[in-house]
Every structure is written in structure tokens, then in C-alpha cells.
Amino acid sequence: MGLYSSILIKPDMPDGRYLSERALLYVPFFAMIVFASAIILLLPYDTVYVRDQAYLQMFLVTVVVCTAVFLLGTLHNVLLWMRGKGLVSTPEKRLLCFAGRALRLLFSRMLARALGVFVRDALYLSRLKGRSWSRWFMHIMILGGFVLMFVLDLVVTLSLDVLQYQPMIEESGWAKLWLRDVGFEVAGLMMLIGLSIAAIRRFILKPSIVRTELPDAASIIFLLAVVAGGFVLEGIGIAGTIPGHQENVEYSFLGYAVSVMLPASSGEFYDAAWLVHGIMSALLIAYIPFSKMFHMIASPIAIELDGIMAGKEALS
Amino acid sequence: MIRRLDISSLDVRALMSYDACTRCGECTETCPTGGEAQDVEMVTPRGKILRLRELYKAQYGLRARILGPKKISDAELKEFAARAYECTICGQCRTVCPSHLDTIEMWENMREFLVANSLGPLSAHEPIVKSIENYDNPWMQPRTQRSRWSKRLGEEARIGDSLKDDHEILYFVGCTAAYDPNIRPMAENTARVLTHAKVDFGTLGNEEGCCGSTMMRTGLSESAKAMVLRNIERFERASPSIIVTSCAGCYKTIRQDYPKYGKLPAPIVHVTEFALDLMNSGHISPIGRVDKTVSFHDPCHLGRHAGLYEQPRSILQSIPGVKLVEMHRNREDARCCGAGGGVKTAFPELATGISELRVADAESVGCEVLTTSCPFCYQSLKSAVSARGSNMEMVDLMEFLWNSVHAPR
Ligand code: SF4
Ligand code: SF4
């Protein structure tokens, strides 16, 4: 019995075609995973704050594994969508067709509309704002913080490990102070505010529209632990005067506030705390496709589809 | 052997939407069947989404892929099916969902999935389905009686036969207005208004078939398809410039669902759009005064589904003396009457409870005459008005207009 033994795949389809159709998707997909892993493992990481190389290696391996799990989990979920109505060949082939159509959108007159829809409805959450300012604020803090952190991560990694951009490396460089310190603090603070409101709503206020089951609680607690852990790590770094945390520490304002409560000796645990925070962040990424957080990927697609359909109707 | 759910009837977009639901619950409070009438999570939009997702992921998710599909008991499946049909497909959840899920499509598709898995429609729907299959109408009435309503009008209206002669306008009457004696005035008044405006119109007579809405809303898409194609073929034979209908359900179905199966030979408009055009072009003028406080109930199929909100209101406002008041929940936010989606047939008490809430909405703003433009809303709100012992009058919009148009100067 083959992998696709369900009624969805017509049994008279030659096996060879399954293979070729699947190869078209899986070969580039696994190549992408290998490529991403190679980049993650091969970057120099000269400027990371962790001092113990073994910790760094452990973290990098976890990131590689978690990234692969995230991508595979996402692919698995998306392939399940593809098994829906009207399937005539393999879900893999269908996914490639959809991806092709999505790419074509980039060069069509719908692009401006798609971008507008993305900014207005997926990022700014305009519909939620119209319904409840407080719920919108909560969500925009979490989403905004997440997006900002993602963008900063990309910018900082690129500047440090690829471009070796000095203002990002030097203790008093503008980019170090405003992007690496203030930028991450703001992103983390936004998430912390949003998640705290969400936790209070969910666990204390319990309004009737909120329903808490294990996946809801797990996602919030996991996220809160990662975000709060980041500030604790920062505090340990400052209290223990770890390199990179010695000058202009007040730019990392929340981490600085935490450091005031910590003894200088806490610096001994900096590397361990760094590893725990890093691994938790990586696990969080791996957990996304298997949790309610997968809406981060599916929801913008739903919003885009809705916007594009409405646009097509308007045009016709 | 484990019974494996057949997910091949679920839309790709619907499968994606199940993952896109953030579980935020914005949709739960205003859902007429889940949040307002009864506090049952599985009836709410979120509840239905999460439950179905849980069911198919148990058999197709990653865990199922590794360890094999999980058994789902018949009782669980039956409970889910019954809950899934406790939805009027009013579309309120679509308007509030921050993830912009097209829940209307999702619920209809969910029912297709239930039918494909022999879990739907419910036994309560069967007589109606059988009637449509056998008689081409849900009222178990012979086909030969379909055009009887028009005979009663005599000289009052000039109604042509669009299949025999050329008529610019094709009036698609719909089963309920054609057969139900309480709703017949809707067709009669539409015909009177059109005749008064000297519109050259005809109907498909006894050949008109059920639009297929009931079949689509209960998940019987294959039967619906055959009905749609038959009607399209009749439209082609009639070859009108415009198709007009007075039924909100037929309007939504023909406008939004027919194009999925075939090409309509002419555009379809709802009679409120058409009548407003006739008024604006001077073909009819409401002259009779109605010194009453009037409210308009937006039928879901006309409002949230098709976006027609202003036309009926403009008609009402043009009638001398009318004081139009809006219920607190109006237009996109209008509360459903409770009858749609097969709920009235399978869960009559639930439907009645919801329609009474709507009547209370109208009473709370001092409405004296409640109008609407859908046979099902009219029927259920009228019963709710009597059940509540309300002094309010329930009037179909075309009747209201006709009374003013033909009033003596
Ligand atoms: S369509 Fe209406 S009745 Fe059905 S789930 Fe949505 S809000 Fe509730
Ligand atoms: S409003 Fe939309 S995203 Fe939120 S729970 Fe309801 S269906 Fe899901």
C-alpha cells in the first residue's frame, strides 16, 4: 500500500507520475532546508554575547532542527489543504500550481490591492479595531512586537554576521544602541504588554467570548515565558557586565530595570540563560505549525484571499 | 475497520480557513443560533470550526500519519452533524471575523462534506428535499399549480409567458411566493407594480423550477447543480434582458451560486433594486401617504450575502408620511430572523426564539410597521409578531409600495 492509499488519489494513476510530481516539490523544498541550515551553521557569529562555544553550537543545532520541523510541519498542514475538493492529481502538484498563481499575482494589477489588504487587514487588523479598541490593542501589540522582532533579527544578523557593520558591533555605535538595544526592547515590550493583557483576559477576567483549552493556555504561557525570559537574560547580562552589556546599558531599559534587582554574580549564569532562552525561542518556532499559532500563516492567506476575491468581484 | 472521513468534499479554501481561525471568539456573541439563542459552544462558528478541524486532523493530521487514523464514533459524528445544521447561514460571523473567513461558504461546504459522509441532511429535511426532487418545489405542490397565483390577478396585471413570447423582463417568482397562500401577495404585488410601471415582463409559468437554494444550503450540491442547469436552460430560452426576482433567497442563489455552475444569459436584480429604478426614472410614484413609523428588516440573503441595504430604505423613504426608524442592529449587523439554512425546518423552536428576538428589536425602537423583502423572513417574523401579541404590523415591502403607488390621489 503506497503512501497515498486514500480514496483521494485515483488508483489508476501511474506511480511514476506521483514520484515526478512529488519530486518537483520536495527536491527544491529539501534543498531550501539544507541551504537554510548551511547558512545558520556557517555564519561566523563573532559578535554573539554567549562566550561558551559549546553553548553556541548547541543552540545552532537546535535552531536548524527547529527550523526544519517548522518548515516540514507547515508543509504538512498546507498539503492537507491541498487534499480538498477537486483534486485530480497529487496534493504536491496542486500546491505548486497554487504557488505559481500566487507568484503571478506579484506581476498582476491585483498586487497593489493585495498589498493594501495585507497592511490594512492582516497587519493593522482594521476589522478588529472597528469592533473593540482594547482587543485590537492587545492583538496589535503581540503582532507588532512579533513582526518588529522578526525584522530586527534579520537586520541585525545581516549587519553583524554578513556585513560586519561596525555601528552595529561597537558598544556606542548608533545601530547597536537604537536597533540592537532599544529596538529589541521595544519589540519585546510590545509583546509583553499584549501577552499580559491576553493572559489577564484569559485567566482572570474570562469574558464570555474567550474559551480556554490546553492549546490556548500553552501558546500564551510559552510566548510569555520566551519574552519575559529575554528581559531576564538582558538583566543578567547587564548585572554581570557581560561584554556587550557594559556601556550605555540604559538603552536596554527593561533589561536594565531587571538588572537592578539582580546581583552581579548572576553573570555566571549568563551563558546558560542565553542557551535556555535561545532553545525556547527555537522550540517556539517549531511549535507554530502544531499549535493555534499557525494562524500566523493561515490567517494572512485567508485575509488576502478574501480581499482578492472582493477585488475580482468589484472588477467584474 | 476504522471509518475514515472523506475530506475530498471540503474546499481547499475551507481547509485553509479552519487553520486560519484564531479562536478569538469575536463571532460567538452575535451568532443567532450559537451565542444568542443558546449558549452551546459547538453551535457557534468557532465551535463548529474547531470541532470539524479536530475530527479531520484526528484522521489526516501528523499524528494520524505517523500512528494511523483515530476512530471517531458514530455518536460523535452525528452530534457534530446536528450542531452543524443549527446554523441559519446568516453570515453574521463573516462580517465580524478578524481573519476574514468566508464562513458562509464554509458552512455550505461543511454541509456538503456531511452529505458526502452520509451525515446530512438531517431527517427533518428529508420531506422538503424529496418534495423538491419530485415536484420541483418544497411545498409538495404539483408543477401545474405553480402559475395559479397569476390567474387570480385577472386584469390587474399583464403577465406574459417568457417561454412563448419575447419579454424584456423575466420575473422569477420563486416557490414560496408561487405556492404558499400567505406569501402569494408578494408575487401579486410585484406583478401589480411592474404592470403599473408598464414593464414588459413575463414568467416561466409552470416551467419555472425551484432555484435550488434549499439543496445548496443543506449540502446537496449535486442535486442543486442539476436544478441550476435546468433553470439556466430555461433562462436561455426566455432570453430576457434582465431577470427580476422578489425572493431574497432566489436572488442570492441565482446571482452568487449559479455562476459557479453555468453562465447566466442575463443579469439578475432584486425587485427592490428594480422598483427603485422604476421610481427614479419616473415610471412609478408612491403617492399614498402612510403616516407610520416603519422599520426595515434586512434579509440575510439580501444584505450580508449580497450587499443590498440602501435600495429598500430608499423605497420606504420615498413614500409620503413614512418615518423610517432603524433597529439598533441594522444593515451588516442586522439580527437574522432565524428561518434560514434549514433551521426552521429542523429546529423550529430555535427559529421561533430567534425571530421573537428580532421582533423585540423592532418594538424597542417604536416601530409600527415592520417591513422586509424576503418570503422566509416575512413568514417567520409575522408568526413571531402574533406569538408576542405585538401591535406591530408585518408587511412585505412590495405590498407597502403598491398600496402607496395605486392609492387615489
Ligand atoms: S452563519 Fe449565522 S447562525 Fe451560522 S454560525 Fe454564523 S452567525 Fe451563527
Ligand atoms: S471570529 Fe473568526 S477567527 Fe475568531 S473565532 Fe470566530 S471564526 Fe475564528
Side-chain angles (χ1 to χ4, degrees):
Chain A
M1 194 181 273
L3 188 59
Y4 289 101
S5 55
S6 96
I7 46 167
L8 297 171
I9 305 292
K10 304 266 181 301
D12 54 359
M13 240 180 122
D15 252 343
R17 222 166 104 198
Y18 292 158
L19 280 180
S20 63
E21 284 177 3
R22 288 162 61 203
L24 270 177
L25 177 78
Y26 290 124
V27 170
F29 183 78
F30 283 107
M32 185 178 84
I33 292 185
V34 171
F35 182 68
S37 306
I39 290 185
I40 292 169
L41 293 173
L42 296 177
L43 283 175
Y45 302 109
D46 294 334
T47 51
V48 287
Y49 296 141
V50 72
R51 294 153 300 180
D52 191 325
Q53 284 303 302
Y55 281 20
L56 177 62
Q57 295 309 324
M58 258 192 273
F59 167 69
L60 292 178
V61 170
T62 313
V63 171
V64 165
V65 172
C66 288
T67 308
V69 170
F70 167 78
L71 291 172
L72 286 166
T74 301
L75 180 67
H76 176 268
N77 289 347
V78 175
L79 282 174
L80 188 53
W81 305 346
M82 297 300 134
R83 301 180 75 163
K85 207 174 182 174
L87 183 70
V88 284
S89 63
T90 54
E92 285 82 359
K93 181 158 183 209
R94 196 182 218 183
L95 176 56
L96 284 170
C97 292
F98 274 102
R101 267 197 246 167
L103 272 180
R104 275 203 296 279
L105 177 76
L106 289 178
F107 304 99
S108 76
R109 60 185 170 154
M110 296 299 279
L111 179 64
R113 184 182 178 93
L115 286 175
V117 166
F118 185 75
V119 172
R120 189 187 63 230
D121 295 323
L123 287 180
Y124 185 64
L125 305 170
S126 60
R127 189 176 278 179
L128 185 58
K129 185 157 184 251
R131 289 188 55 76
S132 156
W133 193 88
S134 59
R135 296 201 287 276
W136 171 80
F137 179 74
M138 171 187 83
H139 212 107
I140 208 81
M141 283 288 121
I142 302 174
L143 177 65
F146 200 90
V147 171
L148 183 59
M149 194 159 291
F150 181 73
V151 171
L152 282 172
D153 259 326
L154 285 184
V155 170
V156 170
T157 308
L158 191 75
S159 337
L160 288 177
D161 299 309
V162 180
L163 304 173
Q164 309 274 323
Y165 182 58
Q166 285 309 306
M168 189 68 90
I169 298 168
E170 289 156 7
E171 284 269 7
S172 317
W174 75 268
K176 155 82 171 62
L177 296 180
W178 290 104
L179 298 181
R180 246 177 125 180
D181 292 346
V182 176
F184 275 108
E185 294 286 307
V186 169
L189 181 62
M190 284 171 75
M191 286 174 77
L192 194 63
I193 292 172
L195 288 166
S196 306
I197 300 174
I200 292 170
R201 248 183 113 227
R202 190 167 288 281
F203 302 119
I204 299 170
L205 301 176
K206 298 181 184 164
S208 62
I209 66 167
V210 169
R211 186 166 170 248
T212 304
E213 287 180 351
L214 188 64
D216 307 285
S219 299
I220 282 202
I221 292 170
F222 203 158
L223 270 165
L224 256 177
V226 171
V227 174
F231 288 116
V232 173
L233 175 68
E234 194 72 27
I236 295 176
I238 295 170
T241 56
I242 304 296
H245 299 77
Q246 290 158 347
E247 288 173 39
N248 304 309
V249 288
E250 60 287 350
Y251 279 79
S252 303
F253 48 90
L254 252 179
Y256 178 64
V258 174
S259 75
V260 177
M261 295 177 267
L262 296 173
S265 58
S266 60
E268 282 172 39
F269 304 105
Y270 182 81
D271 283 2
W274 185 92
L275 183 63
V276 169
H277 178 65
I279 286 181
M280 280 181 71
S281 308
L283 287 176
L284 182 72
I285 305 284
Y287 180 50
I288 288 174
F290 313 101
S291 72
K292 69 176 257 182
M293 287 183 288
F294 190 61
H295 77 252
M296 277 188 223
I297 290 163
S299 187
I301 300 176
I303 289 172
E304 276 301 332
L305 266 178
D306 186 59
I308 289 167
M309 297 295 213
K312 279 197 175 149
E313 203 165 277
L315 280 177
S316 68
Chain B
M1 207 176 105
I2 288 180
R3 172 182 173 180
R4 204 155 183 219
L5 290 170
D6 173 6
I7 58 166
S8 66
S9 51
L10 285 173
D11 272 332
V12 171
R13 188 174 174 194
L15 282 165
M16 184 271 296
S17 301
Y18 293 122
D19 278 342
C21 172
T22 63
R23 308 158 80 117
C24 67
E26 291 294 327
C27 54
T28 55
E29 251 179 353
T30 46
C31 167
T33 57
E36 291 188 315
Q38 50 180 345
D39 193 13
V40 180
E41 174 66 16
M42 214 205 288
V43 181
T44 66
R46 174 180 61 191
K48 287 198 286 271
I49 289 174
L50 295 186
R51 186 66 181 132
L52 180 57
R53 191 171 170 272
E54 195 184 334
L55 291 176
Y56 72 74
K57 289 253 169 162
Q59 298 199 321
Y60 293 91
L62 191 63
R63 192 181 162 280
R65 194 117 189 215
I66 298 165
L67 303 174
K70 211 171 143 191
K71 185 173 168 15
I72 305 167
S73 72
D74 279 355
E76 281 179 283
L77 290 173
K78 279 195 183 131
E79 196 208 349
F80 172 69
R83 293 308 193 185
Y85 277 101
E86 271 182 72
C87 162
T88 60
I89 318 204
C90 69
Q92 179 73 60
C93 44
R94 186 177 72 170
T95 63
V96 299
C97 176
S99 292
H100 293 235
L101 303 189
D102 189 348
T103 50
I104 294 175
E105 291 286 335
M106 285 166 76
W107 309 145
E108 289 183 3
N109 180 238
M110 188 180 271
R111 290 171 183 200
E112 262 183 77
F113 161 81
L114 292 172
V115 170
N117 285 279
S118 310
L119 295 164
L122 302 180
S123 52
H125 296 129
E126 268 161 26
I128 288 193
V129 168
K130 286 261 171 322
S131 171
I132 296 175
E133 280 169 355
N134 295 330
Y135 302 102
D136 223 355
N137 70 74
W139 307 112
M140 289 189 220
Q141 297 288 317
R143 285 185 178 85
T144 49
Q145 299 296 304
R146 188 178 272 276
S147 60
R148 216 175 74 173
W149 68 272
S150 59
K151 310 286 183 290
R152 293 154 38 108
L153 283 173
E155 289 302 301
E156 279 188 84
R158 278 188 313 278
I159 308 172
D161 182 339
S162 290
L163 291 174
K164 283 202 188 121
D165 316 306
D166 272 352
H167 293 286
E168 202 190 347
I169 306 299
L170 170 65
Y171 172 35
F172 189 89
V173 186
C175 304
T176 309
Y179 287 110
D180 185 332
N182 299 317
I183 308 296
R184 227 175 258 156
M186 190 173 271
E188 293 168 355
N189 289 312
T190 302
R192 288 182 181 118
V193 168
L194 296 180
T195 305
H196 185 86
K198 299 193 172 49
V199 173
D200 167 30
F201 76 103
T203 66
L204 296 174
N206 289 337
E207 274 209 53
E208 184 183 291
C210 169
C211 69
S213 173
T214 306
M215 302 304 228
M216 288 177 201
R217 303 323 142 214
T218 44
L220 294 156
S221 54
E222 278 310 307
S223 312
K225 185 178 173 187
M227 299 165 76
V228 169
L229 295 177
R230 276 202 301 273
N231 271 333
I232 290 184
E233 183 271 325
R234 290 164 187 144
F235 295 159
E236 277 164 356
R237 275 196 284 141
S239 70
S241 312
I242 298 176
I243 306 167
V244 176
T245 183
S246 51
C247 172
C250 298
Y251 172 67
K252 178 242 151 66
T253 306
I254 298 173
R255 189 182 130 175
Q256 295 182 338
D257 300 316
Y258 275 35
K260 294 176 200 160
Y261 301 101
K263 193 173 180 307
L264 279 178
I268 173 135
V269 296
H270 188 257
V271 71
T272 50
E273 296 174 277
F274 197 72
L276 185 64
D277 269 356
L278 291 174
M279 283 166 64
N280 290 341
S281 55
H283 287 84
I284 46 172
S285 352
I287 44 172
R289 263 191 95 75
V290 184
D291 288 306
K292 291 268 168 77
T293 304
V294 181
S295 221
F296 181 75
H297 163 76
D298 294 278
C300 304
H301 282 148
L302 211 57
R304 275 187 290 268
H305 288 234
L308 277 188
Y309 296 112
E310 301 314 321
Q311 291 82 344
R313 290 176 169 79
S314 303
I315 291 176
L316 285 172
Q317 274 163 332
S318 68
I319 296 173
V322 163
K323 183 180 168 219
L324 181 65
V325 285
E326 289 294 351
M327 289 180 262
H328 296 303
R329 286 183 58 178
N330 61 71
R331 294 181 173 82
E332 220 187 37
D333 196 31
R335 196 198 298 271
C336 163
C337 77
V343 168
K344 199 178 169 78
T345 312
F347 309 99
E349 280 171 19
L350 176 61
T352 306
I354 299 169
S355 48
E356 288 191 22
L357 287 176
R358 190 54 174 160
V359 170
D361 284 350
E363 284 171 343
S364 72
V365 292
C367 164
E368 294 169 291
V369 182
L370 179 58
T371 59
T372 192
S373 209
C374 162
F376 304 104
C377 298
Y378 174 84
Q379 237 171 8
S380 41
L381 294 174
K382 197 172 167 74
S383 327
V385 166
S386 354
R388 284 177 66 87
S390 171
N391 294 327
M392 220 163 46
E393 249 185 285
M394 183 71 223
V395 184
D396 165 58
L397 185 61
M398 277 303 112
E399 181 182 344
F400 202 74
L401 175 65
W402 172 243
N403 287 341
S404 173
V405 165
H406 87 293
R409 275 178 198 272

